[in-house]
Amino acid sequence: MKKNLSFVALILVLLSFATTIFYSCKKDVSVSTNAPGSSQQHVSLYLTDSPSDYFAKVFIEIDSVSVLVDTCARDSSGSRSGDYDGDHHNNWGVRYTGDTCDIWETLAFPPGVYNLLALRNGLDTILAQSNINAGVIKYIKLSLGDSNYVVLRDSTIKPLQFRGWFDSTIYIPVGYGFMDHYASGRSRCWLDFDISRSIIPFGRGFWLHPYFRCFIQANTGGIQGFVLPTDAQATITATSSTDTATAIPSGNGEFMIRGLQAGNYSLNISSSNGYADSTINNVNVVAGKTVNIGVIKLHK
C-alpha cells in the first residue's frame, strides 16, 4: 500500500477504513484452517505490544507476513539433512543457505492498520497463520506500509517516518527452539512490538525504526497485578540484569507484562498525576509462569 498522500489525506483515508481494518482489540482470535498435510506444518503468529506512556495510540500498517523455513532441518535443534552450500547473508544480515533448503512462505493474514496500544496487559490478536512446508522457521518478515502514525496524549496526531528505505521491511530472527510446538504439526509464537525502542523523537516529529521480538510463553514468564488508584496514570517498568519491559494499567488498574526472561526483577511504579513513585524488589520470574503481585497502592 505505498501511497504518495499528504498527511491530511492520509488521516482521512485511515478514518474511512477504521471499521474494517482495526483488528487489534481481539484476544486469541482463531481462524479456521485445514489440518496440515504430512509434509506440512501449521504456523500461527500472534501480535502483542510493549507500551509507552507517551502515546495514546500507535497505528502501524502491516502489508504482508512471511517466514523463512529451513526445510532440510530434521528437528527443532537445527540438525540438517540433505546437501546444502553453507550459510550466506543478504544485505540485511539475514542468513540463508543459497540452496533449495530455505524457502520463503507467505502467511495468510488480514492486511491493515493495527492500533498496537490496544494490545497490552495480556491482550493479543492472531496476526497470521497458514499451512506451510515442514521445517524449522529461521526468520519472520513483516512488510510495512506508509500509513503509520501516533496520537499523543493531548490528541495531537503525528506521522511516523521511516529512518531509511530498508526499514519498511522487518526481519525478526526466530532462532532454533523459539517456536512453541503446542501440538503435532502445529507451532506458534508471539511478536512483541517494543514502542519505546521503535519510535524515536526528532525535532517535532518521530522516526519509525520498528523493533519486534519473537517469544513463546513456555520459556518466558510474566508479572501481573493492580495499581490503584486508577487516576494515578501509572507506568510499571520491570528491570532485571538482562531484561527490561513496561506496562500501562488498563481502566481498572490491572496490568500484565509478558515475555520476560527468567530472573529476579525490580518493579518501578511511576505516576504522571502527582502520586509518589513506588518500587518493589526481588520479584522472581520463572519460565512458563506469571507472578501475581496483588494490589499496589500509590499515595500523594
Side-chain angles (χ1 to χ4, degrees):
M1 293 189 189
K2 303 294 184 184
K3 304 179 180 73
N4 186 17
L5 298 172
S6 69
F7 185 61
V8 173
L10 170 64
I11 295 301
L12 291 176
V13 171
L14 291 173
L15 292 177
S16 69
F17 286 172
T19 58
T20 58
I21 62 177
F22 293 157
Y23 302 100
S24 313
C25 294
K26 301 176 183 177
K27 181 178 180 179
D28 289 338
V29 178
S30 296
V31 178
S32 177
T33 60
N34 296 326
S38 59
S39 61
Q40 292 182 316
Q41 60 177 320
H42 180 77
V43 174
S44 300
L45 302 180
Y46 291 82
L47 184 64
T48 187
D49 168 57
S50 292
S52 166
D53 61 350
Y54 192 73
F55 306 109
K57 297 178 181 179
V58 176
F59 293 101
I60 300 296
E61 181 183 21
I62 304 177
D63 286 346
S64 67
V65 181
S66 55
V67 294
L68 182 63
V69 183
D70 183 351
T71 59
C72 294
R74 294 192 298 265
D75 54 48
S76 60
S77 69
S79 299
R80 303 195 61 178
S81 60
D83 295 328
Y84 60 97
D85 299 328
D87 282 353
H88 306 283
H89 295 78
N90 67 10
N91 291 335
W92 295 272
V94 177
R95 301 177 66 191
Y96 64 99
T97 61
D99 62 12
T100 58
C101 288
D102 284 355
I103 299 175
W104 282 105
E105 295 269 19
T106 300
L107 304 185
F109 94 111
V113 180
Y114 289 76
N115 177 12
L116 297 183
L117 276 184
L119 302 175
R120 56 191 176 101
N121 296 320
L123 291 177
D124 51 44
T125 185
I126 184 74
L127 176 65
Q129 61 178 335
S130 288
N131 290 335
I132 62 174
N133 279 290
V136 173
I137 296 174
K138 298 167 66 176
Y139 288 92
I140 299 166
K141 181 171 69 174
L142 304 181
S143 295
L144 305 187
D146 287 335
S147 302
N148 309 299
Y149 67 101
V150 296
V151 180
L152 306 184
R153 290 198 172 273
D154 64 0
S155 299
T156 301
I157 297 173
K158 294 283 189 178
L160 295 174
Q161 303 179 39
F162 290 116
R163 297 190 75 180
W165 66 269
F166 54 86
D167 280 342
S168 62
T169 302
I170 314 303
Y171 292 89
I172 307 164
V174 176
Y176 297 120
F178 278 86
M179 292 292 292
D180 179 15
H181 300 279
Y182 65 99
S184 178
R186 293 180 179 270
S187 60
R188 61 189 176 186
C189 81
W190 280 257
L191 299 179
D192 178 37
F193 180 79
D194 191 328
I195 289 177
S196 62
R197 297 177 64 173
S198 300
I199 301 177
I200 304 168
F202 78 96
R204 296 183 178 180
F206 296 93
W207 292 118
L208 175 61
H209 190 88
Y211 178 84
F212 289 85
R213 67 188 178 97
C214 177
F215 74 90
I216 65 175
Q217 299 185 52
N219 62 11
T220 59
I223 302 172
Q224 68 178 20
F226 287 82
V227 177
L228 299 176
T230 57
D231 67 353
Q233 299 179 13
T235 299
I236 302 96
T237 303
T239 305
S240 73
S241 60
T242 59
D243 204 1
T244 300
T246 60
I248 299 173
S250 55
N252 66 351
E254 185 177 12
F255 74 90
M256 177 181 289
I257 305 174
R258 298 194 300 172
L260 296 174
Q261 300 299 315
N264 191 277
Y265 285 78
S266 293
L267 291 186
N268 178 261
I269 303 93
S270 60
S271 168
S272 60
N273 198 24
Y275 287 81
D277 293 352
S278 179
T279 300
I280 300 176
N281 295 314
N282 300 318
V283 179
N284 187 36
V285 173
V286 178
K289 297 183 179 181
T290 299
V291 180
N292 191 330
I293 61 172
V295 177
I296 303 168
K297 293 185 178 180
L298 300 181
H299 303 278
K300 288 190 175 181

